[in-house]
Short mmCIF file of all heavy atoms in Angstrom, two decimals:
data_model
loop_
_atom_site.label_atom_id
_atom_site.label_comp_id
_atom_site.label_asym_id
_atom_site.label_seq_id
_atom_site.Cartn_x
_atom_site.Cartn_y
_atom_site.Cartn_z
N TYR A 31 9.06 9.79 7.71
CA TYR A 31 8.85 9.36 6.34
C TYR A 31 7.39 9.53 5.93
O TYR A 31 6.48 9.12 6.65
CB TYR A 31 9.24 7.89 6.18
CG TYR A 31 10.72 7.62 6.22
CD1 TYR A 31 11.45 7.85 7.37
CD2 TYR A 31 11.38 7.10 5.11
CE1 TYR A 31 12.82 7.60 7.41
CE2 TYR A 31 12.74 6.84 5.14
CZ TYR A 31 13.45 7.09 6.29
OH TYR A 31 14.79 6.83 6.33
N TYR A 35 1.12 7.56 -2.99
CA TYR A 35 0.94 6.44 -3.91
C TYR A 35 -0.29 6.69 -4.75
O TYR A 35 -1.21 7.40 -4.36
CB TYR A 35 0.68 5.14 -3.14
CG TYR A 35 1.83 4.62 -2.32
CD1 TYR A 35 1.98 4.98 -0.99
CD2 TYR A 35 2.75 3.72 -2.87
CE1 TYR A 35 3.01 4.47 -0.22
CE2 TYR A 35 3.79 3.21 -2.11
CZ TYR A 35 3.91 3.60 -0.79
OH TYR A 35 4.93 3.09 -0.04
N GLN A 37 -3.25 4.22 -6.83
CA GLN A 37 -3.77 2.87 -7.00
C GLN A 37 -4.74 2.86 -8.16
O GLN A 37 -5.75 3.56 -8.15
CB GLN A 37 -4.46 2.36 -5.74
CG GLN A 37 -4.90 0.91 -5.87
CD GLN A 37 -5.58 0.38 -4.62
OE1 GLN A 37 -6.28 1.11 -3.91
NE2 GLN A 37 -5.38 -0.90 -4.32
N GLY A 40 -7.15 -3.10 -10.25
CA GLY A 40 -6.46 -4.37 -10.47
C GLY A 40 -4.97 -4.33 -10.24
O GLY A 40 -4.26 -5.27 -10.62
N MET A 41 -4.50 -3.28 -9.62
CA MET A 41 -3.06 -3.15 -9.40
C MET A 41 -2.77 -2.84 -7.94
O MET A 41 -3.62 -2.33 -7.21
CB MET A 41 -2.48 -2.05 -10.29
CG MET A 41 -2.63 -2.30 -11.76
SD MET A 41 -1.97 -0.96 -12.74
CE MET A 41 -0.22 -1.14 -12.41
N GLY A 42 -1.54 -3.12 -7.57
CA GLY A 42 -1.09 -2.67 -6.27
C GLY A 42 -0.76 -1.19 -6.32
O GLY A 42 -0.92 -0.52 -7.33
N LEU A 43 -0.31 -0.67 -5.19
CA LEU A 43 0.03 0.75 -5.12
C LEU A 43 1.37 1.01 -5.82
O LEU A 43 2.28 0.18 -5.77
CB LEU A 43 0.13 1.19 -3.66
CG LEU A 43 -1.19 1.57 -3.00
CD1 LEU A 43 -2.09 0.36 -2.83
CD2 LEU A 43 -0.93 2.23 -1.66
N LEU A 45 4.43 4.00 -6.10
CA LEU A 45 4.95 5.15 -5.39
C LEU A 45 5.18 6.31 -6.35
O LEU A 45 5.87 6.17 -7.35
CB LEU A 45 6.26 4.78 -4.68
CG LEU A 45 6.92 5.86 -3.85
CD1 LEU A 45 6.03 6.24 -2.67
CD2 LEU A 45 8.27 5.38 -3.36
N TYR A 48 8.20 10.53 -2.40
CA TYR A 48 8.28 10.31 -0.97
C TYR A 48 9.19 11.36 -0.34
O TYR A 48 9.87 12.12 -1.04
CB TYR A 48 8.76 8.89 -0.64
CG TYR A 48 10.17 8.57 -1.07
CD1 TYR A 48 11.23 8.62 -0.15
CD2 TYR A 48 10.45 8.18 -2.37
CE1 TYR A 48 12.51 8.31 -0.54
CE2 TYR A 48 11.73 7.86 -2.75
CZ TYR A 48 12.76 7.93 -1.85
OH TYR A 48 14.04 7.61 -2.23
N VAL A 50 11.78 11.89 3.24
CA VAL A 50 12.41 11.28 4.42
C VAL A 50 12.55 12.26 5.56
O VAL A 50 13.14 11.94 6.60
CB VAL A 50 13.78 10.66 4.07
CG1 VAL A 50 13.62 9.61 2.97
CG2 VAL A 50 14.77 11.72 3.65
N PHE A 90 -3.29 7.57 -2.36
CA PHE A 90 -3.12 7.30 -0.93
C PHE A 90 -1.84 7.96 -0.43
O PHE A 90 -0.79 7.87 -1.07
CB PHE A 90 -3.05 5.80 -0.66
CG PHE A 90 -4.36 5.09 -0.79
CD1 PHE A 90 -4.67 4.38 -1.94
CD2 PHE A 90 -5.29 5.12 0.24
CE1 PHE A 90 -5.88 3.72 -2.07
CE2 PHE A 90 -6.50 4.46 0.13
CZ PHE A 90 -6.80 3.78 -1.03
N ARG A 97 7.75 0.74 13.05
CA ARG A 97 6.64 -0.18 13.30
C ARG A 97 5.83 -0.48 12.06
O ARG A 97 4.98 -1.37 12.07
CB ARG A 97 5.72 0.39 14.37
CG ARG A 97 6.36 0.53 15.73
CD ARG A 97 5.32 0.82 16.79
NE ARG A 97 5.92 1.07 18.09
CZ ARG A 97 6.25 2.27 18.53
NH1 ARG A 97 6.02 3.33 17.78
NH2 ARG A 97 6.80 2.43 19.72
N GLY A 98 6.08 0.26 10.99
CA GLY A 98 5.32 0.01 9.78
C GLY A 98 4.70 1.26 9.20
O GLY A 98 5.02 2.38 9.60
N TYR A 99 3.78 1.05 8.27
CA TYR A 99 3.18 2.13 7.51
C TYR A 99 1.74 2.36 7.96
O TYR A 99 1.02 1.40 8.24
CB TYR A 99 3.18 1.79 6.02
CG TYR A 99 4.55 1.66 5.40
CD1 TYR A 99 5.34 0.54 5.62
CD2 TYR A 99 5.05 2.67 4.58
CE1 TYR A 99 6.60 0.43 5.04
CE2 TYR A 99 6.29 2.56 4.00
CZ TYR A 99 7.07 1.44 4.23
OH TYR A 99 8.31 1.34 3.66
N PHE A 101 -1.74 4.36 6.51
CA PHE A 101 -2.30 4.95 5.30
C PHE A 101 -3.48 5.86 5.60
O PHE A 101 -4.24 5.61 6.54
CB PHE A 101 -2.75 3.85 4.33
CG PHE A 101 -1.62 3.15 3.67
CD1 PHE A 101 -0.99 2.09 4.29
CD2 PHE A 101 -1.16 3.56 2.43
CE1 PHE A 101 0.09 1.45 3.70
CE2 PHE A 101 -0.08 2.93 1.82
CZ PHE A 101 0.54 1.88 2.46
N GLY A 102 -3.62 6.89 4.77
CA GLY A 102 -4.82 7.72 4.80
C GLY A 102 -5.97 7.01 4.12
O GLY A 102 -5.82 5.90 3.59
N SER A 103 -7.11 7.66 4.12
CA SER A 103 -8.33 7.03 3.60
C SER A 103 -8.45 7.14 2.09
O SER A 103 -9.34 6.54 1.50
CB SER A 103 -9.56 7.64 4.27
OG SER A 103 -9.59 9.04 4.04
N TYR B 33 5.06 -7.15 4.32
CA TYR B 33 3.82 -6.70 4.94
C TYR B 33 2.63 -7.33 4.24
O TYR B 33 2.64 -7.54 3.03
CB TYR B 33 3.69 -5.17 4.82
CG TYR B 33 4.86 -4.39 5.36
CD1 TYR B 33 6.01 -4.22 4.61
CD2 TYR B 33 4.81 -3.81 6.62
CE1 TYR B 33 7.08 -3.50 5.09
CE2 TYR B 33 5.87 -3.08 7.12
CZ TYR B 33 7.01 -2.93 6.34
OH TYR B 33 8.07 -2.21 6.84
N TYR B 35 -1.54 -6.52 3.86
CA TYR B 35 -2.58 -5.54 4.08
C TYR B 35 -3.91 -6.09 3.58
O TYR B 35 -3.96 -6.87 2.64
CB TYR B 35 -2.29 -4.23 3.34
CG TYR B 35 -1.18 -3.43 3.94
CD1 TYR B 35 0.14 -3.63 3.55
CD2 TYR B 35 -1.44 -2.44 4.89
CE1 TYR B 35 1.16 -2.89 4.09
CE2 TYR B 35 -0.43 -1.69 5.44
CZ TYR B 35 0.87 -1.91 5.04
OH TYR B 35 1.88 -1.17 5.58
N GLN B 37 -7.70 -4.67 2.12
CA GLN B 37 -8.42 -3.51 1.62
C GLN B 37 -9.85 -3.90 1.28
O GLN B 37 -10.07 -4.80 0.46
CB GLN B 37 -7.74 -2.91 0.38
CG GLN B 37 -8.37 -1.60 -0.08
CD GLN B 37 -7.67 -0.99 -1.27
OE1 GLN B 37 -7.22 -1.69 -2.18
NE2 GLN B 37 -7.56 0.34 -1.27
N GLY B 40 -13.40 0.46 -1.84
CA GLY B 40 -13.54 1.89 -1.58
C GLY B 40 -12.91 2.37 -0.30
O GLY B 40 -13.11 3.52 0.10
N LYS B 41 -12.15 1.50 0.35
CA LYS B 41 -11.55 1.87 1.64
C LYS B 41 -10.04 1.94 1.55
O LYS B 41 -9.45 1.63 0.52
CB LYS B 41 -11.96 0.83 2.70
CG LYS B 41 -13.46 0.69 2.88
CD LYS B 41 -14.08 1.94 3.45
CE LYS B 41 -15.56 1.73 3.73
NZ LYS B 41 -16.19 2.97 4.25
N SER B 42 -9.44 2.33 2.66
CA SER B 42 -7.99 2.40 2.74
C SER B 42 -7.40 1.03 3.04
O SER B 42 -8.10 0.02 3.05
CB SER B 42 -7.59 3.41 3.81
OG SER B 42 -6.20 3.60 3.80
N LEU B 43 -6.11 1.01 3.28
CA LEU B 43 -5.40 -0.24 3.53
C LEU B 43 -5.20 -0.43 5.02
O LEU B 43 -4.71 0.46 5.72
CB LEU B 43 -4.06 -0.24 2.82
CG LEU B 43 -4.21 -0.25 1.31
CD1 LEU B 43 -3.80 1.07 0.71
CD2 LEU B 43 -3.45 -1.39 0.71
N VAL B 48 3.24 -7.63 9.90
CA VAL B 48 4.57 -7.20 9.51
C VAL B 48 5.52 -8.35 9.84
O VAL B 48 5.59 -8.79 10.99
CB VAL B 48 5.01 -5.93 10.28
CG1 VAL B 48 6.40 -5.50 9.82
CG2 VAL B 48 4.01 -4.81 10.07
N PHE B 88 -3.23 -7.62 -0.02
CA PHE B 88 -2.00 -7.24 -0.69
C PHE B 88 -0.80 -7.66 0.15
O PHE B 88 -0.81 -7.52 1.38
CB PHE B 88 -1.92 -5.73 -0.87
CG PHE B 88 -2.88 -5.17 -1.87
CD1 PHE B 88 -4.12 -4.70 -1.46
CD2 PHE B 88 -2.55 -5.08 -3.22
CE1 PHE B 88 -5.02 -4.16 -2.39
CE2 PHE B 88 -3.44 -4.55 -4.14
CZ PHE B 88 -4.67 -4.09 -3.72
N ASP B 92 9.59 -4.45 1.38
CA ASP B 92 10.47 -3.28 1.50
C ASP B 92 11.77 -3.55 0.76
O ASP B 92 12.46 -4.52 1.04
CB ASP B 92 10.78 -3.00 2.98
CG ASP B 92 10.07 -1.77 3.49
OD1 ASP B 92 9.67 -0.93 2.66
OD2 ASP B 92 9.94 -1.64 4.71
N ASP B 97 19.80 5.13 -2.10
CA ASP B 97 19.96 6.25 -1.16
C ASP B 97 19.75 5.82 0.28
O ASP B 97 19.55 6.66 1.16
CB ASP B 97 18.98 7.38 -1.54
CG ASP B 97 17.52 6.94 -1.45
OD1 ASP B 97 17.26 5.76 -1.12
OD2 ASP B 97 16.63 7.76 -1.72
N ASN B 99 17.29 4.46 1.66
CA ASN B 99 15.90 4.48 2.11
C ASN B 99 15.16 3.26 1.56
O ASN B 99 15.56 2.67 0.57
CB ASN B 99 15.21 5.76 1.63
CG ASN B 99 15.80 6.99 2.28
OD1 ASN B 99 15.91 7.06 3.49
ND2 ASN B 99 16.21 7.94 1.45
N GLN B 101 11.80 1.39 -0.05
CA GLN B 101 10.62 1.64 -0.87
C GLN B 101 9.76 0.39 -0.86
O GLN B 101 10.26 -0.72 -1.05
CB GLN B 101 11.03 1.98 -2.31
CG GLN B 101 9.84 2.18 -3.24
CD GLN B 101 10.25 2.58 -4.63
OE1 GLN B 101 11.29 3.21 -4.79
NE2 GLN B 101 9.46 2.25 -5.62
N LEU B 102 8.46 0.56 -0.61
CA LEU B 102 7.53 -0.56 -0.62
C LEU B 102 7.15 -0.92 -2.05
O LEU B 102 6.70 -0.06 -2.80
CB LEU B 102 6.25 -0.20 0.14
CG LEU B 102 6.07 -0.61 1.59
CD1 LEU B 102 4.68 -0.26 2.05
CD2 LEU B 102 6.34 -2.08 1.79
N TRP B 104 4.66 -3.38 -4.20
CA TRP B 104 3.40 -4.04 -3.93
C TRP B 104 3.09 -5.15 -4.92
O TRP B 104 3.40 -5.03 -6.11
CB TRP B 104 2.26 -3.02 -3.99
CG TRP B 104 2.33 -2.01 -2.90
CD1 TRP B 104 3.17 -0.95 -2.82
CD2 TRP B 104 1.54 -2.01 -1.70
NE1 TRP B 104 2.95 -0.26 -1.66
CE2 TRP B 104 1.96 -0.88 -0.96
CE3 TRP B 104 0.52 -2.81 -1.21
CZ2 TRP B 104 1.39 -0.57 0.28
CZ3 TRP B 104 -0.05 -2.49 0.01
CH2 TRP B 104 0.38 -1.39 0.73
N GLY B 105 2.47 -6.19 -4.43
CA GLY B 105 1.85 -7.17 -5.29
C GLY B 105 0.56 -6.59 -5.85
O GLY B 105 0.08 -5.54 -5.41
N ALA B 106 -0.03 -7.30 -6.82
CA ALA B 106 -1.24 -6.81 -7.49
C ALA B 106 -2.50 -7.02 -6.66
O ALA B 106 -3.55 -6.46 -6.99
CB ALA B 106 -1.38 -7.49 -8.85
#
Side-chain angles (χ1 to χ4, degrees):
Chain A
Y31 288 65
Y35 293 91
Q37 185 179 34
M41 298 178 69
L43 276 68
L45 182 64
Y48 65 99
V50 302
F90 287 100
R97 295 192 185 92
Y99 296 76
F101 287 85
S103 59
Chain B
Y33 305 81
Y35 287 89
Q37 187 178 38
K41 302 294 185 182
S42 187
L43 294 110
V48 181
F88 290 93
D92 253 340
D97 61 359
N99 294 308
Q101 177 177 331
L102 263 186
W104 293 76

